[in-house]
Amino acid sequence: MVNLKEDNYIYDTSDLEILHDNFEEYDVSDLDDIISYDNSRETQNYNYYREDENRAIPELHIDSVQQQSPVIGYDFIKLCLPLIHADEVGFTVTRGNFFRTSHPNIPAKEDERITRALFGENRNYRQMLLTEDEQQKLNSNTYENQPFREAKLRFPNAKPFFDRDNLRLGLGHMYFHNGDFIVSISGKVVSNEGNLGLIALNNIDEALNTIKTTRLVDFNNEAFRQRAEVLSLHVTNDLLVPDINSYTKAFSSYLPLRTDRYCVLNYGNSGYEVLARGKQSKQTPNYQFCIYNKGAEIREHRQRSYIKRIGGSGMAIANNTIRMELRLRNFPAIRKFLAPDRKKGTLTLNELLACEQRPVIQMLSLLNITTESLREARGKYITMVEEDTYPTQAEFERMHGLIRLLELHDYDLSKVRSYIEVETKRKTHSTYFKEKRDILQRYITCYMPLTVANLTEVLQAMSY
């Protein structure tokens, strides 16, 4: 099993737009075991506007929302191939195109040229070529019955030279670290005209073949899928909706219901990012959930190479696509959402592609967005309309009082609870959070029926 910390890599994109297009996932090496998120950017952009001035009951349109991929898809996968399996996988490397480094996870910059290694000192050491001493150790079976140490000697820590010719849209950094081969790929690697691109079982070979077109490494695809291990990934569900702004706003009406457990940040100008509150340890599932307008996100990041790849038809799709992306950043998170019965380790690439879990739907349920809760909310609203019974004046005032308190305290229910305890000099009951969520739920039920209808249509269209 690989012993790597989950990390993100920072790329120098000063003059090469394709590098930015390649990476939506930025890694930082050598993270501390404890990670604390900065919640100071928590959004207050929640939607509490009344929708039912005419007291109309919005109809449900079953086919109005369409899931673009029938099978579970991934927009980013970071893989590790333990090179004790190099012979089994048929793994070979063009050693002259890699150079040794103690920080292989940081990509080479443009000024790190092949000539620097060819004409500098310690030529044999700088390149990934093995020295005579190292080759002798391998030939003499010094590390017999020690496959991990042999792999580290056979494939020393190295990364490829910066080379414009080897850049591929959707293909991330690849390197060797402690006897493992690490590579990242994004959905852009399988995108084309009119297709936004998600990695799935039906196109994984196309993605792996793109890695090999760089002529830096080669391997057998089937054996690679069996042995490559998943370090991190983005489970992604793209939904085509009739009104992108209306459906994005629908989520912003429900997200505050769980702000005691999650903080909600703006995701650029295109959506929302949901993070678990508090500190994250390496034993804690480390994940984030993003909900955003895909077309707005592409334009915001000026992904020109990607826009050229998907064409005008692809952008037309993106402009009406709401993307839900669950980013699993460590092994506990991967197991939580994709392999709940597994107690340790991670998944192989084949196991990931054969996954039958419904991780995005599971994440929505953690945010209290479920088919059952929406059906109940919609039923309550219809009943109120039919019986002509809105909440009493006192109930209405409590709803708006809570909303006002949330606004004053950054939509953090724990802060609101502390505020009430200080002002009343009494401890609040353990059911406090549940009661306050119920008040918010009643507000949404009574005055935001379109929100409930939109979210219901979204869930009806989803299969994972």
mmCIF file of all heavy atoms in Angstrom, residues 6 14 28 52-53 65-66 77 84 93 102 110 155 167 238-239 264 267 275 291 297 307 319 321 411-412 433 451:
data_model
loop_
_atom_site.group_PDB
_atom_site.id
_atom_site.type_symbol
_atom_site.label_atom_id
_atom_site.label_comp_id
_atom_site.label_asym_id
_atom_site.label_seq_id
_atom_site.Cartn_x
_atom_site.Cartn_y
_atom_site.Cartn_z
ATOM 1 N N GLU A 6 -1.938 13.048 1.049
ATOM 2 C CA GLU A 6 -2.715 13.634 -0.045
ATOM 3 C C GLU A 6 -2.241 15.044 -0.271
ATOM 4 O O GLU A 6 -2.137 15.846 0.625
ATOM 5 C CB GLU A 6 -4.189 13.640 0.333
ATOM 6 C CG GLU A 6 -5.065 14.056 -0.807
ATOM 7 C CD GLU A 6 -4.691 13.341 -2.072
ATOM 8 O OE1 GLU A 6 -5.164 12.272 -2.297
ATOM 9 O OE2 GLU A 6 -3.910 13.850 -2.838
ATOM 10 N N SER A 14 2.649 31.051 -15.921
ATOM 11 C CA SER A 14 2.862 32.431 -16.342
ATOM 12 C C SER A 14 2.652 32.631 -17.833
ATOM 13 O O SER A 14 2.124 33.646 -18.256
ATOM 14 C CB SER A 14 4.276 32.870 -15.957
ATOM 15 O OG SER A 14 5.222 31.977 -16.508
ATOM 16 N N VAL A 28 -0.573 20.598 -2.901
ATOM 17 C CA VAL A 28 0.511 21.178 -2.119
ATOM 18 C C VAL A 28 1.175 20.038 -1.380
ATOM 19 O O VAL A 28 0.543 19.332 -0.617
ATOM 20 C CB VAL A 28 -0.031 22.214 -1.119
ATOM 21 C CG1 VAL A 28 1.113 22.776 -0.299
ATOM 22 C CG2 VAL A 28 -0.766 23.320 -1.851
ATOM 23 N N ASP A 52 -43.978 32.602 -4.254
ATOM 24 C CA ASP A 52 -45.364 32.177 -4.475
ATOM 25 C C ASP A 52 -46.364 33.320 -4.327
ATOM 26 O O ASP A 52 -47.405 33.170 -3.703
ATOM 27 C CB ASP A 52 -45.722 31.059 -3.500
ATOM 28 C CG ASP A 52 -45.713 31.568 -2.053
ATOM 29 O OD1 ASP A 52 -44.956 32.518 -1.777
ATOM 30 O OD2 ASP A 52 -46.473 31.038 -1.246
ATOM 31 N N GLU A 53 -46.060 34.461 -4.923
ATOM 32 C CA GLU A 53 -46.958 35.603 -4.779
ATOM 33 C C GLU A 53 -48.369 35.282 -5.271
ATOM 34 O O GLU A 53 -49.349 35.799 -4.754
ATOM 35 C CB GLU A 53 -46.398 36.804 -5.531
ATOM 36 C CG GLU A 53 -45.092 37.326 -4.925
ATOM 37 C CD GLU A 53 -44.552 38.517 -5.671
ATOM 38 O OE1 GLU A 53 -45.205 38.927 -6.654
ATOM 39 O OE2 GLU A 53 -43.488 39.029 -5.292
ATOM 40 N N VAL A 65 -34.925 17.929 -16.334
ATOM 41 C CA VAL A 65 -33.511 17.832 -15.962
ATOM 42 C C VAL A 65 -32.964 16.514 -16.497
ATOM 43 O O VAL A 65 -33.590 15.467 -16.329
ATOM 44 C CB VAL A 65 -33.328 17.899 -14.435
ATOM 45 C CG1 VAL A 65 -31.867 17.766 -14.062
ATOM 46 C CG2 VAL A 65 -33.892 19.212 -13.892
ATOM 47 N N GLN A 66 -31.806 16.557 -17.142
ATOM 48 C CA GLN A 66 -31.218 15.356 -17.737
ATOM 49 C C GLN A 66 -29.793 15.153 -17.225
ATOM 50 O O GLN A 66 -28.970 16.065 -17.293
ATOM 51 C CB GLN A 66 -31.198 15.469 -19.267
ATOM 52 C CG GLN A 66 -32.578 15.576 -19.891
ATOM 53 C CD GLN A 66 -32.522 15.750 -21.384
ATOM 54 O OE1 GLN A 66 -31.456 15.692 -21.993
ATOM 55 N NE2 GLN A 66 -33.677 15.978 -21.999
ATOM 56 N N ILE A 77 -8.799 12.285 -11.424
ATOM 57 C CA ILE A 77 -8.329 11.091 -10.721
ATOM 58 C C ILE A 77 -6.814 11.191 -10.582
ATOM 59 O O ILE A 77 -6.101 11.445 -11.555
ATOM 60 C CB ILE A 77 -8.675 9.784 -11.473
ATOM 61 C CG1 ILE A 77 -10.167 9.704 -11.797
ATOM 62 C CG2 ILE A 77 -8.259 8.578 -10.636
ATOM 63 C CD1 ILE A 77 -10.545 8.454 -12.587
ATOM 64 N N ILE A 84 6.586 -2.105 -7.661
ATOM 65 C CA ILE A 84 6.899 -3.525 -7.428
ATOM 66 C C ILE A 84 6.158 -4.369 -8.457
ATOM 67 O O ILE A 84 6.492 -5.538 -8.673
ATOM 68 C CB ILE A 84 6.500 -3.954 -5.995
ATOM 69 C CG1 ILE A 84 5.011 -3.695 -5.759
ATOM 70 C CG2 ILE A 84 7.346 -3.255 -4.960
ATOM 71 C CD1 ILE A 84 4.493 -4.239 -4.441
ATOM 72 N N VAL A 93 9.985 3.273 -18.870
ATOM 73 C CA VAL A 93 10.119 4.724 -18.787
ATOM 74 C C VAL A 93 11.256 5.185 -19.683
ATOM 75 O O VAL A 93 12.287 4.523 -19.791
ATOM 76 C CB VAL A 93 10.365 5.172 -17.322
ATOM 77 C CG1 VAL A 93 11.523 4.420 -16.695
ATOM 78 C CG2 VAL A 93 10.608 6.664 -17.249
ATOM 79 N N SER A 102 14.770 15.746 -5.305
ATOM 80 C CA SER A 102 14.211 15.398 -3.996
ATOM 81 C C SER A 102 12.769 15.873 -3.859
ATOM 82 O O SER A 102 12.089 15.536 -2.890
ATOM 83 C CB SER A 102 15.065 16.019 -2.882
ATOM 84 O OG SER A 102 15.138 17.427 -3.046
ATOM 85 N N GLU A 110 9.898 26.129 -16.756
ATOM 86 C CA GLU A 110 10.380 26.220 -18.119
ATOM 87 C C GLU A 110 11.897 26.369 -18.191
ATOM 88 O O GLU A 110 12.523 25.948 -19.163
ATOM 89 C CB GLU A 110 9.710 27.387 -18.845
ATOM 90 C CG GLU A 110 9.982 27.406 -20.337
ATOM 91 C CD GLU A 110 9.133 28.406 -21.071
ATOM 92 O OE1 GLU A 110 8.387 29.157 -20.403
ATOM 93 O OE2 GLU A 110 9.201 28.416 -22.304
ATOM 94 N N PHE A 155 13.680 2.714 -9.774
ATOM 95 C CA PHE A 155 12.993 3.909 -10.255
ATOM 96 C C PHE A 155 13.193 5.039 -9.247
ATOM 97 O O PHE A 155 12.330 5.292 -8.399
ATOM 98 C CB PHE A 155 11.497 3.625 -10.443
ATOM 99 C CG PHE A 155 11.202 2.548 -11.437
ATOM 100 C CD1 PHE A 155 10.946 1.243 -11.029
ATOM 101 C CD2 PHE A 155 11.178 2.831 -12.802
ATOM 102 C CE1 PHE A 155 10.667 0.237 -11.949
ATOM 103 C CE2 PHE A 155 10.895 1.840 -13.733
ATOM 104 C CZ PHE A 155 10.650 0.539 -13.311
ATOM 105 N N LEU A 167 2.982 18.386 -23.532
ATOM 106 C CA LEU A 167 1.768 18.799 -22.829
ATOM 107 C C LEU A 167 0.536 18.237 -23.540
ATOM 108 O O LEU A 167 0.420 18.279 -24.751
ATOM 109 C CB LEU A 167 1.691 20.318 -22.761
ATOM 110 C CG LEU A 167 2.777 20.982 -21.905
ATOM 111 C CD1 LEU A 167 2.750 22.475 -22.104
ATOM 112 C CD2 LEU A 167 2.571 20.643 -20.438
ATOM 113 N N ASP A 238 -22.959 15.789 -13.999
ATOM 114 C CA ASP A 238 -23.377 16.947 -14.791
ATOM 115 C C ASP A 238 -24.849 16.817 -15.156
ATOM 116 O O ASP A 238 -25.264 15.805 -15.737
ATOM 117 C CB ASP A 238 -22.550 17.047 -16.079
ATOM 118 C CG ASP A 238 -21.161 17.613 -15.826
ATOM 119 O OD1 ASP A 238 -20.938 18.147 -14.728
ATOM 120 O OD2 ASP A 238 -20.310 17.532 -16.725
ATOM 121 N N LEU A 239 -25.637 17.848 -14.845
ATOM 122 C CA LEU A 239 -27.063 17.831 -15.119
ATOM 123 C C LEU A 239 -27.431 18.989 -16.031
ATOM 124 O O LEU A 239 -27.084 20.143 -15.765
ATOM 125 C CB LEU A 239 -27.854 17.946 -13.817
ATOM 126 C CG LEU A 239 -27.658 16.797 -12.811
ATOM 127 C CD1 LEU A 239 -28.289 17.161 -11.491
ATOM 128 C CD2 LEU A 239 -28.241 15.502 -13.348
ATOM 129 N N VAL A 264 -20.341 26.931 4.077
ATOM 130 C CA VAL A 264 -20.646 27.092 2.661
ATOM 131 C C VAL A 264 -19.922 28.327 2.143
ATOM 132 O O VAL A 264 -20.142 29.433 2.644
ATOM 133 C CB VAL A 264 -22.168 27.226 2.428
ATOM 134 C CG1 VAL A 264 -22.466 27.328 0.941
ATOM 135 C CG2 VAL A 264 -22.909 26.038 3.039
ATOM 136 N N TYR A 267 -18.122 29.519 -4.634
ATOM 137 C CA TYR A 267 -17.176 28.868 -5.543
ATOM 138 C C TYR A 267 -16.966 29.815 -6.721
ATOM 139 O O TYR A 267 -17.664 29.749 -7.731
ATOM 140 C CB TYR A 267 -17.731 27.523 -6.006
ATOM 141 C CG TYR A 267 -16.756 26.708 -6.839
ATOM 142 C CD1 TYR A 267 -15.654 26.113 -6.240
ATOM 143 C CD2 TYR A 267 -16.939 26.548 -8.200
ATOM 144 C CE1 TYR A 267 -14.764 25.370 -6.988
ATOM 145 C CE2 TYR A 267 -16.055 25.802 -8.959
ATOM 146 C CZ TYR A 267 -14.964 25.212 -8.347
ATOM 147 O OH TYR A 267 -14.076 24.487 -9.093
ATOM 148 N N LEU A 275 -17.858 22.650 2.791
ATOM 149 C CA LEU A 275 -16.769 21.997 3.510
ATOM 150 C C LEU A 275 -17.226 21.615 4.908
ATOM 151 O O LEU A 275 -18.003 22.350 5.536
ATOM 152 C CB LEU A 275 -15.555 22.927 3.633
ATOM 153 C CG LEU A 275 -14.900 23.413 2.343
ATOM 154 C CD1 LEU A 275 -13.858 24.474 2.664
ATOM 155 C CD2 LEU A 275 -14.248 22.260 1.607
ATOM 156 N N ILE A 291 -21.058 22.852 -6.072
ATOM 157 C CA ILE A 291 -22.252 22.936 -6.913
ATOM 158 C C ILE A 291 -22.132 24.223 -7.704
ATOM 159 O O ILE A 291 -22.112 25.312 -7.111
ATOM 160 C CB ILE A 291 -23.538 22.967 -6.065
ATOM 161 C CG1 ILE A 291 -23.593 21.766 -5.115
ATOM 162 C CG2 ILE A 291 -24.781 23.017 -6.946
ATOM 163 C CD1 ILE A 291 -24.654 21.895 -4.041
ATOM 164 N N GLU A 297 -18.070 28.821 -14.840
ATOM 165 C CA GLU A 297 -16.753 28.451 -14.317
ATOM 166 C C GLU A 297 -15.705 28.424 -15.424
ATOM 167 O O GLU A 297 -14.568 28.861 -15.236
ATOM 168 C CB GLU A 297 -16.863 27.084 -13.627
ATOM 169 C CG GLU A 297 -15.616 26.637 -12.900
ATOM 170 C CD GLU A 297 -14.847 25.579 -13.677
ATOM 171 O OE1 GLU A 297 -15.332 25.160 -14.745
ATOM 172 O OE2 GLU A 297 -13.770 25.192 -13.210
ATOM 173 N N ILE A 307 -12.085 25.427 -24.268
ATOM 174 C CA ILE A 307 -13.187 25.960 -25.073
ATOM 175 C C ILE A 307 -13.004 25.587 -26.541
ATOM 176 O O ILE A 307 -13.951 25.210 -27.234
ATOM 177 C CB ILE A 307 -13.285 27.492 -24.902
ATOM 178 C CG1 ILE A 307 -13.720 27.826 -23.470
ATOM 179 C CG2 ILE A 307 -14.257 28.088 -25.903
ATOM 180 C CD1 ILE A 307 -13.680 29.300 -23.147
ATOM 181 N N ASN A 319 -23.232 25.995 -20.639
ATOM 182 C CA ASN A 319 -24.004 27.140 -20.152
ATOM 183 C C ASN A 319 -25.323 26.728 -19.507
ATOM 184 O O ASN A 319 -25.935 27.524 -18.788
ATOM 185 C CB ASN A 319 -24.278 28.119 -21.299
ATOM 186 C CG ASN A 319 -23.017 28.854 -21.731
ATOM 187 O OD1 ASN A 319 -22.089 29.025 -20.942
ATOM 188 N ND2 ASN A 319 -22.978 29.268 -22.983
ATOM 189 N N THR A 321 -25.498 23.655 -17.822
ATOM 190 C CA THR A 321 -25.121 22.508 -16.997
ATOM 191 C C THR A 321 -24.831 22.943 -15.571
ATOM 192 O O THR A 321 -24.011 23.832 -15.339
ATOM 193 C CB THR A 321 -23.874 21.807 -17.572
ATOM 194 O OG1 THR A 321 -24.207 21.210 -18.832
ATOM 195 C CG2 THR A 321 -23.372 20.721 -16.630
ATOM 196 N N TYR A 411 -24.603 33.093 9.101
ATOM 197 C CA TYR A 411 -25.348 31.865 8.812
ATOM 198 C C TYR A 411 -24.790 30.652 9.552
ATOM 199 O O TYR A 411 -24.826 29.529 9.069
ATOM 200 C CB TYR A 411 -25.392 31.607 7.309
ATOM 201 C CG TYR A 411 -26.218 32.636 6.579
ATOM 202 C CD1 TYR A 411 -25.634 33.807 6.105
ATOM 203 C CD2 TYR A 411 -27.577 32.456 6.398
ATOM 204 C CE1 TYR A 411 -26.387 34.775 5.467
ATOM 205 C CE2 TYR A 411 -28.339 33.418 5.767
ATOM 206 C CZ TYR A 411 -27.740 34.577 5.307
ATOM 207 O OH TYR A 411 -28.497 35.519 4.692
ATOM 208 N N ASP A 412 -24.247 30.896 10.733
ATOM 209 C CA ASP A 412 -23.671 29.828 11.542
ATOM 210 C C ASP A 412 -24.612 29.568 12.718
ATOM 211 O O ASP A 412 -24.730 30.384 13.637
ATOM 212 C CB ASP A 412 -22.292 30.250 12.037
ATOM 213 C CG ASP A 412 -21.569 29.124 12.762
ATOM 214 O OD1 ASP A 412 -22.249 28.178 13.200
ATOM 215 O OD2 ASP A 412 -20.336 29.199 12.886
ATOM 216 N N PHE A 433 -30.792 22.742 17.437
ATOM 217 C CA PHE A 433 -30.494 22.794 15.999
ATOM 218 C C PHE A 433 -31.634 22.200 15.182
ATOM 219 O O PHE A 433 -32.022 22.737 14.154
ATOM 220 C CB PHE A 433 -29.196 22.051 15.685
ATOM 221 C CG PHE A 433 -27.970 22.736 16.215
ATOM 222 C CD1 PHE A 433 -27.043 22.029 16.956
ATOM 223 C CD2 PHE A 433 -27.753 24.084 15.976
ATOM 224 C CE1 PHE A 433 -25.913 22.658 17.446
ATOM 225 C CE2 PHE A 433 -26.629 24.718 16.459
ATOM 226 C CZ PHE A 433 -25.710 24.010 17.202
ATOM 227 N N THR A 451 -38.378 26.312 -5.420
ATOM 228 C CA THR A 451 -37.135 25.703 -4.939
ATOM 229 C C THR A 451 -37.330 24.209 -4.701
ATOM 230 O O THR A 451 -36.519 23.381 -5.130
ATOM 231 C CB THR A 451 -36.678 26.382 -3.633
ATOM 232 O OG1 THR A 451 -36.092 27.643 -3.946
ATOM 233 C CG2 THR A 451 -35.649 25.550 -2.889
#
